[in-house]
Amino acid sequence: DLSASPDVYLKQTRERDYKINIGKNDVASAGVEEKRTTDGTLVNLFDYTAALKRLLLSTAQIGKSYRIIIDELDDSYSESKVYFDLLIALFKAAVEINSAASQERKDCTIIVALRDDIFESINYGDKNKWSDMAVRISWLLQPGERPHSSNLFNMINLRIDASLVDQPRLTEEYWGSMFAREVVRADLKPFPYILSRTLYRPRDVIQFCKCIQEACATSSKMAAAKDILAAELSYSDWLLAEIVDEIHVKLPKIREVF
């Protein structure tokens, strides 16, 4: 009986084949392949949840770990009922599949990443149960924590590591091999200064570093204070656009201000 389910539907095909491909390093990609289209019949989303559960549980092997990460749900954020109904359906499907996998002793987990403010806006009776399963991620510095000891500093080192052949040491000295040890402004050296211009989010730090890379001379092996200051304008334009995009749903006239 689906009458009590959220009124969430997708225009899809009536008949489909579900398939899964195992690639290199046991990285799997699952998909839905159309066999025959229809005249726009509405198919209940929970039918696809059941099919996805069968697909995962029949494919997952005991002793191996599987993680399905669903991200970027804020890209199409709106305050419409449809948007939040879809989120509710997604969370319910993830909980159902994770529970079924646990009962079958299979290490298969669906992880849903969502902005905290959007999650708090969900109006659903069992949301507190989801909160008990949630891991809240904060990139803010803890009291007394130095910028070079933060997770953001380790993150940007790992990001740089992924773009280089040599393996770096995740230390302040490694950062110093790429950024000059000089004060940028207000007695702040490169990383603390960069951090002070962000909202303490990984993408902010990464974008600022990309702008600095573009501002550096081609022959320069080390970013100087002047390069950081030169990159700040383009980074600020990017950050402003990010902020406007995030809040225009709640404040539509924000675009008129900026």
Side-chain angles (χ1 to χ4, degrees), residues 183-228:
V183 171
V184 180
R185 185 181 286 163
D187 292 330
L188 294 176
K189 291 187 177 180
F191 188 70
Y193 182 81
I194 290 171
L195 209 55
S196 72
R197 294 301 191 263
T198 71
L199 298 178
Y200 289 86
R201 303 178 303 186
R203 65 176 179 270
D204 298 346
V205 178
I206 292 171
Q207 183 63 32
F208 204 156
C209 288
K210 286 182 177 179
C211 292
I212 293 169
Q213 185 179 32
E214 293 174 359
C216 286
T218 306
S219 58
S220 177
K221 295 182 179 180
M222 183 177 291
K226 63 179 179 61
D227 299 314
I228 297 174

Side-chain angles (χ1 to χ4, degrees), residues 53-70:
K53 181 168 65 175
R54 290 195 301 270
L55 170 67
L56 293 176
L57 297 184
S58 64
T59 305
Q61 301 176 25
I62 295 178
K64 288 191 175 184
S65 298
Y66 303 84
R67 300 291 179 267
I68 299 174
I69 301 175
I70 302 174

Side-chain angles (χ1 to χ4, degrees), residues 1-2 98 216 222:
D1 180 16
L2 297 175
N98 289 345
C216 286
M222 183 177 291

